[in-house]
Amino acid sequence: MLHERLSSIYENVLRRNAGETEFHQAVREVLESIGPVLGKHPEYAESKIIERICEPERQIIFRVPWEDDRGEVHINRGFRVEFNSALGPYKGGLRFHPSVYLGIVKFLGFEQIFKNSLTGLPIGGGKGGSDFDPKGRSEREVMRFCQSFMTELYRHIGEYTDVPAGDIGVGQREVGYLFGQYKRITNRYESGVITGKGLSYGGAQVRTEATGYGCAFFVAEMLKARGTSFDGRRVAVSGSGNVAVYTIEKVRQLGGIVVACSDSSGYVVDDKGVDLDLLKQVKQVERRRLDVYAERRGGNATFVPGRSVWEVPCEVAMPSATQNEITGRDAELLVRNGCVAVGEGANMPTTPEGIRIFEEAGVAFGPGKAANAGGVATSALEMQQNASRDSWTFEFSENRLQQIMRDIHDRCLRSADEYGMPGNYVAGANIDGFKRVADAMLALGLI
Ligand code: GLU
């Protein structure tokens, strides 16, 4: 339920951003959490901090023309929403997926403000992307698209302005092409302008693994707070992209057994535990579907086409694919099958109804803005290394990541406690993330 003042702010957001349902959902979740904060801090309401936070500082939409291998011309739409720079330069990834439109970019950018704030590092919030579909496109086509995208984007970004990175459909290959074009246009080797780079040209150790590793660390902390651990637990992961793969890797190192993962064609159940080398080969090297994984795994794994991975019984669920992939029905099924913890590796993968069901059932629920913040936090570490022309070891970087995830976990619990919602990580993450941004905005005058 929304506090009266927040309800009129929400109505206004609906009216001013018609049709952008994912953005509405992301705003509503934050507003539902921060009611109690307004009681203690009337200065936030007086200075209309919330109304200001809901309005992006800048929104850029541009044309991206490119030519396919047959010489045919295509036109895509590019976006960069520079949402909030109170804490630092805008920071957040680029998503290339046919579903991308302004509402998706704004939901991601809005969540990014609070996520980045929670990391405790000096980064503002932004997000971008395109409705370009990389699926089935050749290397050369992807490169030409990235070059065309950057030919417009370069004028809006910079080490001190706005620092993009990857997200769905944008990995190290795309970041390389984007950075190469930025360098060519500007004639500057400005490493800190984009993160997620390859190690040979300014990338950071652990950035590739960071979102998945960080999410596993976060869930380990939630389990620890309840006096238990990953040891011997059955874990289901959705997706099989970068976040999923490194979630699986770290969960295994922490003693869990990942029994299922998925892609857009269906899921595989592998009771002995997913074979990570085979998964990486099929999904990352060959860019093929999971039926190929099951086929090569012989009798050990079963591929189930077209169904939801959440029907696989598990004790820990780690949604690592995309938004709204755990519905109320999925959540009910997970609870019935004995799920005790959920860590969101993806952004907003659980619907509001799903979250309510988990909360009512007492499931430890780690929302994306806390649980998957390890990715962007390690991007901030990449920026630090670029600024000091240094590069840190894998071990040192992983320790930093683990410490950051512990701090985020503890901050969520502390804020949830302080505002009378003990154990509620959603409220804790929203409140803590919000307060840091709000205080900076107050201090900086009317911005
Ligand atoms: N796209 C990632 C996220 O959702 C990472 C962003 C970044 O590294 O800037 O947080």
Side-chain angles (χ1 to χ4, degrees), residues 91-93 112 115 127 165-167 195 207 347 372 375-376 379:
K91 181 82 198 86
Q112 201 85 45
K115 182 196 305 196
K127 202 85 186 189
D167 194 83
T195 60
R207 177 60 192 91
N347 289 314
N372 75 32
V376 75
S379 276

Side-chain angles (χ1 to χ4, degrees), residues 234-310:
R234 283 172 63 94
V235 180
V237 173
S238 64
S240 46
N242 170 272
V243 179
V245 161
Y246 292 103
T247 296
I248 297 172
E249 188 161 288
K250 187 50 73 181
V251 164
R252 266 203 346 205
Q253 290 171 12
L254 296 172
I257 307 158
V258 179
V259 293
C261 65
S262 66
D263 65 13
S264 56
S265 69
Y267 68 84
V268 282
V269 206
D270 195 332
D271 276 314
K272 291 215 172 68
V274 168
D275 179 336
L276 200 56
D277 290 337
L278 179 58
L279 186 69
K280 284 183 184 170
Q281 175 65 29
V282 171
K283 296 301 301 186
Q284 297 186 326
V285 180
E286 298 177 27
R287 296 179 189 262
R288 298 179 72 186
R289 300 280 174 97
L290 282 176
D291 54 337
V292 177
Y293 170 93
E295 214 175 272
R296 295 204 196 145
R297 188 89 164 109
N300 283 329
T302 313
F303 174 66
V304 182
R307 297 190 62 95
S308 159
V309 67
W310 308 121

